[in-house]
């Protein structure tokens, strides 16, 4: 275990940096403020442009969604209720009263239509959904209609999805921005307002309570129900050094740490003034992605060799250490989820260097370097690339490890240039199991080439199966379809699972109402003076 860092020294360093950058500005007098250390700094602000969790979490602060999902996975009305025709092809959405954008303008149906259209350009669910849509049109002052060509569950599932690209609603003038172009105005209708004047990219984000927000009357549950804000401000501050963050928590300088590194848990676990809690009970799965566009991973055999080389237990021991918080799993849709499947467990879970070497020989691998992106500032993402790189070297790959912060990795993910020109071959990340349990919520399973998420796998068989899944309402048939997708995803190297784990948060006992949820949210939280 690391020795506890000298607190005065840490605080002097932190305060000195703050004085130089102006990142820690005083909150208004008497404002009840929750100060949180999130998993990384925020730089990518457009929640449609990025699948990064920080961008998604930012989205939930300031935007709202038409529909939500509660802790029972039930889709609920949020901004809108809906009615469906007898033939299940016409959905009429009615906006609830009192919805306003942060600039005071009323939320109108045309705003929602434009937001859906922008979201669907890049979201893996939206891209499959839209060819099944006959039209989306405004039908009244508070209503709009979605006419389907054929019945599908994808409409409600897409508009309510938790992650990674939720269908956030924006004013029409903002939603008219092409999905490939970052928005520059951050106005939503959600429970918090973004304070642009205090934003320091990568260092600090400030949100104020939206006093015009009218929460629903139902109890808050995941992204559904009443999003009642009980504090004046929430400030996200960046502290890349985890020990500095823990010291700040222990000394009441911050109130909440989103992710506590496993090796540092003993520091905060037994303090009466702090609470350690896994807020996402379903947990997460970690995995890595190949760039299918360029050598060497444009060759399926080379992708299979890499998967065979990397052992999940080695990754999870380096990442988590404590088996109380992890387990191995080959299922791309999650062990314990209804569509979890064990195909490939015999060579996905253990490290099999001999198999990897044989596959490389069969593929005639020529020593092309493998560029691996390694983020250094997020404890939950720093270990995987190191273990992956060591295993690949052992199997005979030439590896080039490129270190950077996570937000740089996020911006690099969409880079389709060759690795020799600044591109990449492998990056690793993780996703929440709550949204990974089907072929559409699971972003990694889209396999439509350059239209898909970073990695750009092109497997027409998977796309055909995803469409078949969307058209099916029979549970047994859907189970059979997802088993086929599991096999193709592993054999084709669409995604390489590295196992499952849970992430503990830590926060001051001054906070109450902290919600258990797959998404870190700040509504419902109260902060006492003592």
């Amino acid at each position: 275990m690391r020795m506890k860092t000298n607190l005065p020294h840490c605080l002097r360093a932190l305060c000195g940096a703050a004085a130089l950058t102006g990142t820690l500005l005083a909150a208004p007098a008497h404002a009840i403020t929750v100060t949180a250390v999130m998993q990384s700094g925020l730089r990518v602000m457009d929640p449609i442009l990025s699948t990064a969790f920080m961008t998604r979490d930012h989205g939930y602060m300031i935007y709202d969604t038409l529909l939500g999902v509660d802790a029972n996975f039930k889709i609920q009305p949020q901004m809108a209720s809906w009615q469906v025709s007898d033939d299940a092809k016409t959905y009429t959405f009615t906006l609830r009263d009192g919805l306003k954008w942060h600039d005071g303008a009323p939320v109108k149906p045309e705003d929602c239509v434009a937001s859906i259209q922008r979201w669907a350009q890049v979201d893996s669910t939206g891209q499959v959904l839209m060819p099944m849509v006959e039209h989306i049109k405004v039908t009244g002052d508070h209503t709009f209609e979605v006419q389907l060509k054929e019945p599908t569950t994808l409409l409600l599932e897409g508009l309510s999805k938790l992650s990674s690209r939720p269908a956030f609603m924006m004013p029409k003038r903002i939603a008219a921005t092409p999905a490939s172009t970052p928005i520059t105005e951050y106005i939503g209708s959600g429970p918090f307002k973004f304070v642009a004047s205090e934003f320091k990219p990568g260092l600090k984000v400030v949100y104020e309570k939206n006093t015009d927000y009218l929460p629903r009357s139902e109890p808050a549950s995941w992204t559904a129900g009443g999003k009642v804000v009980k504090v004046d401000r929430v400030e996200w501050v960046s502290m890349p050094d985890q020990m500095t963050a823990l010291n700040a928590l222990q000394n009441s300088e911050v109130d909440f740490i989103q992710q506590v590194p496993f090796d540092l848990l003993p520091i905060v676990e037994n303090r009466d003034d702090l609470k350690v809690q896994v807020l996402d009970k379903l947990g997460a799965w970690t995995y890595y992605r190949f760039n299918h566009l360029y050598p060497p991973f444009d060759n399926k055999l080379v992708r299979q060799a890499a998967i065979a080389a990397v052992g999940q237990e080695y990754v999870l021991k380096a990442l988590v250490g404590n088996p109380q918080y992890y387990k191995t799993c080959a299922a791309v849709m999650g062990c314990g989820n209804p569509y979890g499947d064990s195909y490939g467990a015999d060579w996905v879970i253990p490290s099999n260097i001999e198999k990897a070497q044989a596959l490389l020989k069969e593929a005639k691998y020529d020593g092309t370097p493998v560029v691996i992106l390694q983020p250094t500032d997020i404890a939950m993402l720093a270990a995987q690339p190191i273990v992956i790189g060591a295993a690949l070297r052992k199997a005979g790959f030439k590896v080039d490890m490129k270190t950077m912060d996570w937000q740089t990795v996020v911006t690099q993910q969409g880079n389709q240039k060759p690795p020799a020109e600044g591109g990449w071959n492998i990056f690793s990340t993780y996703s929440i199991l709550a949204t990974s349990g089907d072929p559409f919520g699971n972003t990694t399973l889209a396999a439509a080439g350059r239209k898909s998420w970073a990695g750009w796998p092109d497997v027409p068989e998977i796309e055909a199966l995803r469409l078949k899944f969307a058209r099916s309402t029979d549970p047994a048939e859907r189970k059979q379809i997802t088993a086929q997708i599991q096999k193709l995803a592993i054999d084709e190297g669409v995604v390489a699972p590295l196992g499952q784990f849970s992430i503990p948060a830590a926060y001051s006992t001054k906070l109450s109402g902290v919600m258990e949820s797959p998404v870190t949210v700040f509504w419902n939280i109260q902060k006492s003076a003592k």
Side-chain angles (χ1 to χ4, degrees):
M1 183 187 302
R2 274 195 244 176
M3 295 295 291
K4 187 172 179 179
T5 304
N6 180 268
L7 179 59
H9 175 77
C10 283
L11 292 179
R12 284 197 301 271
L14 179 63
C15 293
L20 288 173
T21 61
T23 60
L24 298 179
L25 303 177
H30 311 300
I32 301 174
T33 302
V34 172
T35 305
V37 178
M38 303 296 279
Q39 61 171 288
S40 72
L42 176 68
R43 291 197 183 93
V44 181
M45 305 284 285
D46 189 337
I48 301 304
L49 201 65
S50 174
T51 60
F53 283 175
M54 276 301 299
T55 306
R56 175 208 66 189
D57 291 350
H58 161 73
Y60 276 113
M61 295 293 282
I62 68 172
Y63 302 109
D64 214 342
T65 54
L66 293 170
L67 312 177
V69 176
D70 67 19
N72 296 313
F73 288 94
K74 186 176 180 180
I75 297 172
Q76 301 282 7
Q78 189 55 37
M79 293 174 70
S81 58
W82 73 91
Q83 291 182 320
V84 59
S85 62
D86 291 340
D87 64 1
K89 292 197 292 186
T90 302
Y91 286 75
T92 301
F93 293 89
T94 302
L95 296 173
R96 61 189 177 96
D97 293 334
L99 296 178
K100 293 181 181 179
W101 300 115
H102 293 160
D103 60 7
V107 175
K108 296 181 178 181
E110 49 261 42
D111 299 316
C112 301
V113 171
S115 295
I116 293 169
Q117 290 171 335
R118 184 173 192 261
W119 163 79
Q121 290 179 46
V122 291
D123 180 74
S124 60
T125 302
Q127 288 175 340
V128 175
L129 170 65
M130 290 309 286
M132 304 171 75
V133 172
E134 184 68 39
H135 66 246
I136 305 178
K137 66 179 183 181
V138 174
T139 55
D141 291 341
H142 291 86
T143 60
F144 67 95
E145 175 186 283
V146 180
Q147 175 73 48
L148 300 172
K149 297 175 183 177
E150 57 187 297
T152 179
T153 62
L154 285 192
L155 177 60
L156 298 185
E157 290 168 351
L159 295 181
S160 64
K161 68 181 294 188
L162 293 164
S163 194
S164 282
R165 280 192 181 99
F168 292 121
M169 296 297 106
M170 304 176 182
K172 181 179 178 180
R173 69 178 186 279
I174 300 174
T177 306
S180 58
T181 303
I183 60 174
T184 57
E185 191 179 5
Y186 309 105
I187 291 178
S189 64
F192 292 93
K193 292 182 177 181
F194 170 65
V195 183
S197 63
E198 296 188 54
F199 178 51
K200 304 294 181 182
L203 298 172
K204 184 180 181 182
V205 198
V206 176
Y207 304 95
E208 290 180 342
K209 178 180 179 177
N210 177 11
T211 55
D212 288 333
Y213 185 76
L214 298 177
R216 297 189 66 88
S217 60
E218 304 92 343
S221 178
W222 286 12
T223 60
K227 300 177 179 179
V228 181
V229 176
K230 301 178 181 180
V231 297
D232 299 313
R233 288 162 60 96
V234 174
E235 299 182 2
W236 293 355
V237 296
S238 180
M239 294 185 184
D241 181 81
Q242 298 296 321
M243 185 61 76
T244 300
L246 287 176
N247 281 333
L249 179 65
Q250 292 177 90
N251 286 274
S252 301
E253 294 167 322
V254 301
D255 304 297
F256 180 93
I257 296 180
Q258 187 182 30
Q259 298 179 350
V260 180
F262 297 98
D263 63 327
L264 300 181
L265 275 174
I267 296 174
V268 293
E269 279 181 320
N270 297 311
R271 288 182 57 117
D272 292 338
D273 59 341
L274 300 177
K275 184 170 183 179
V276 175
Q277 184 179 2
V278 173
L279 299 175
D280 180 5
K281 297 300 184 184
L282 292 175
W285 68 299
T286 182
Y287 55 88
Y288 61 105
R289 297 277 284 181
F290 302 106
N291 186 335
H292 290 236
L293 300 180
Y294 301 106
F297 294 124
D298 58 344
N299 185 323
K300 179 172 74 172
L301 294 176
V302 180
R303 298 194 294 271
Q304 291 178 346
I307 293 174
V310 180
Q312 288 190 1
E313 191 74 30
Y314 296 114
V315 172
L316 294 169
K317 283 182 177 178
L319 172 64
V320 180
N322 185 345
Q324 173 185 344
Y325 290 100
Y326 77 76
K327 68 177 179 180
T328 59
C329 174
V332 297
M333 282 172 267
C335 292
N337 277 342
Y339 300 124
D341 188 274
S342 61
Y343 173 81
D346 56 330
W347 62 284
V348 171
I349 292 176
S351 173
N352 189 332
I353 297 299
E354 292 76 17
K355 179 181 178 72
Q357 291 172 334
L359 285 164
L360 283 182
K361 184 176 180 180
E362 183 182 353
K364 297 181 173 57
Y365 172 64
D366 61 0
T368 298
V370 173
V371 175
I372 302 178
L373 305 182
Q374 189 213 352
T376 57
D377 61 332
I378 299 183
M380 302 305 154
L381 293 172
Q384 294 94 318
I386 296 172
V387 179
I388 292 168
L392 296 190
R393 289 187 184 99
K394 192 173 181 180
F397 285 91
K398 183 178 179 180
V399 174
D400 179 9
M401 193 77 66
K402 290 195 173 181
T403 61
M404 58 194 70
D405 63 50
W406 172 242
Q407 288 296 305
T408 303
V409 173
V410 170
T411 57
Q412 273 288 94
Q413 284 176 359
N415 185 351
Q416 293 189 358
K417 290 183 179 179
E421 298 176 21
W424 55 273
N425 295 111
I426 284 177
F427 75 87
S428 55
T429 185
Y430 70 91
S431 296
I432 54 176
L433 289 168
T435 62
S436 300
D438 67 74
F440 288 96
N442 192 322
T443 305
T444 72
L445 294 175
R450 290 180 185 266
K451 289 174 59 181
S452 300
W453 186 47
W456 311 287
D458 189 0
V459 187
E461 297 90 340
I462 288 181
E463 289 303 289
L465 287 166
R466 292 173 75 229
L467 187 57
K468 187 176 179 181
F469 181 92
R471 289 171 169 156
S472 174
T473 57
D474 178 57
E477 182 183 30
R478 282 188 153 196
K479 179 72 173 175
Q480 184 182 39
I481 292 168
T482 52
Q484 293 175 271
I485 291 175
Q486 165 80 20
K487 185 177 188 303
L488 284 166
I490 296 299
D491 288 347
E492 296 291 333
V494 171
V495 59
L498 293 172
Q500 299 182 180
F501 62 102
S502 298
I503 308 172
Y507 55 90
S508 168
T509 53
K510 292 180 181 179
L511 302 185
S512 59
V514 178
M515 288 181 55
E516 291 186 353
S517 171
V519 178
T520 300
V521 299
F522 288 89
W523 52 82
N524 203 55
I525 292 177
Q526 289 181 285
K527 181 179 178 181
S528 66
K530 296 182 180 181

